[in-house]
Amino acid sequence: MSVHTYKATLSNGEEIGLDTYKGKVMLIVNTASKCGLTPQYEGLEKLYDTYKDNGFTVLGFPCNQFGGQEPGTDEEISSFCSLNYQVEFPLFQKIEVNGDQAHPLYQYLREQAPEDVNFDKNSGLYKHLSTNAPELLEGSNIRWNFTKFLIDQDGNVVKRFAPTTTPEEIKNDIEKLLMK
C-alpha cells in the first residue's frame, strides 16, 4: 500500500487518484489561510517552482480543525492562495486530518509517520499546544496547520515534519530523494 492508492478532490471539484503522481516526490501539507504559519505558502511555492521540472510536487490540503483558521470555501481558499502567494501547486478541497472524519489519506499518513521528526519542544507552538490543546500532542494526531509529509517516488512516506519546520529546511531531503 502507498499514498498512490488514495483519491482526493481538487479545489475545482475534480476527483483524482494520487497515482497521478507516481514517479514524483511529493510534499503533502495541511494548510490554512489565517494561521501564523500561513506565510509558509511562499516557501512551499518556491520549492514547487524550483523542483517541479525534476519530478517534485507539493499537494496542499486545507483544513479548518486548528483554531478555525481555514473558514473559507474551496473557491475562496484557492483565490487567497493565488492572489497572496501565487500558489500554482495543486490545492485540494478542505478536509479533516484528525478524528473520525479524517480523510483516509491522512489516516494513512498518520499511521505511516506517527511522529514529527523535529518538533521543537521549546517553540511557541509546542508550548501553546501543551497548555491549550494537549490532546493534539498525543499519538499520531496532526499537531497543527502546515504539518508536512515527504513522500518518495513510489508513494512511501519518508518523513513527517513539524508545523514549524519551514519549507526551506526540507530542501535537502527533497534533493536526496530526487537523486534516487
Side-chain angles (χ1 to χ4, degrees):
M1 198 158 168
S2 77
V3 299
H4 296 147
T5 61
Y6 294 92
K7 293 182 180 182
T9 305
L10 291 164
S11 62
N12 66 6
E14 177 189 352
E15 183 179 74
I16 64 166
L18 294 187
D19 59 350
T20 301
Y21 302 103
K22 271 187 182 171
K24 291 191 178 211
V25 172
M26 295 179 267
L27 190 64
I28 298 176
V29 187
N30 63 300
T31 61
S33 301
K34 300 190 182 313
C35 175
L37 300 172
T38 299
Q40 286 191 26
Y41 269 125
E42 185 176 344
L44 293 169
E45 180 59 31
K46 186 174 182 183
L47 285 177
Y48 175 71
D49 193 50
T50 300
Y51 299 110
K52 67 182 177 188
D53 293 334
N54 298 325
F56 172 76
T57 193
V58 174
L59 304 180
F61 286 86
C63 178
N64 195 42
Q65 285 187 285
F66 305 100
Q69 296 178 344
E70 190 60 280
T73 65
D74 293 318
E75 185 178 315
E76 290 167 338
I77 295 164
S78 197
S79 178
F80 170 85
C81 291
S82 178
L83 292 171
N84 293 289
Y85 295 101
Q86 294 71 53
V87 167
E88 293 182 5
F89 59 80
L91 284 173
F92 290 79
Q93 287 185 347
K94 192 168 21 176
I95 63 167
E96 290 190 13
V97 297
N98 286 333
D100 294 339
Q101 300 301 313
H103 190 284
L105 170 64
Y106 267 82
Q107 292 175 17
Y108 176 77
L109 292 171
R110 290 188 354 244
E111 181 181 292
Q112 296 300 304
E115 294 292 324
D116 302 309
V117 294
N118 56 352
F119 200 176
D120 180 2
K121 291 188 165 97
N122 294 314
S123 72
L125 177 58
Y126 188 90
K127 290 174 183 172
H128 171 78
L129 294 176
S130 295
T131 303
N132 299 301
E135 69 280 2
L136 293 176
L137 296 173
E138 296 173 5
S140 68
N141 282 327
I142 301 299
R143 314 299 181 215
W144 202 253
N145 303 310
F146 293 91
T147 296
K148 301 154 199 77
F149 291 89
L150 185 61
I151 314 298
D152 71 12
Q153 292 90 331
D154 297 319
N156 301 308
V157 180
V158 175
K159 277 187 185 175
R160 171 178 167 166
F161 296 94
T164 52
T165 302
T166 65
E168 295 77 17
E169 292 175 279
I170 302 171
K171 183 179 172 184
N172 290 339
D173 291 292
I174 292 167
E175 289 176 353
K176 285 179 193 169
L177 285 177
L178 289 173
M179 296 172 132
K180 279 176 76 177

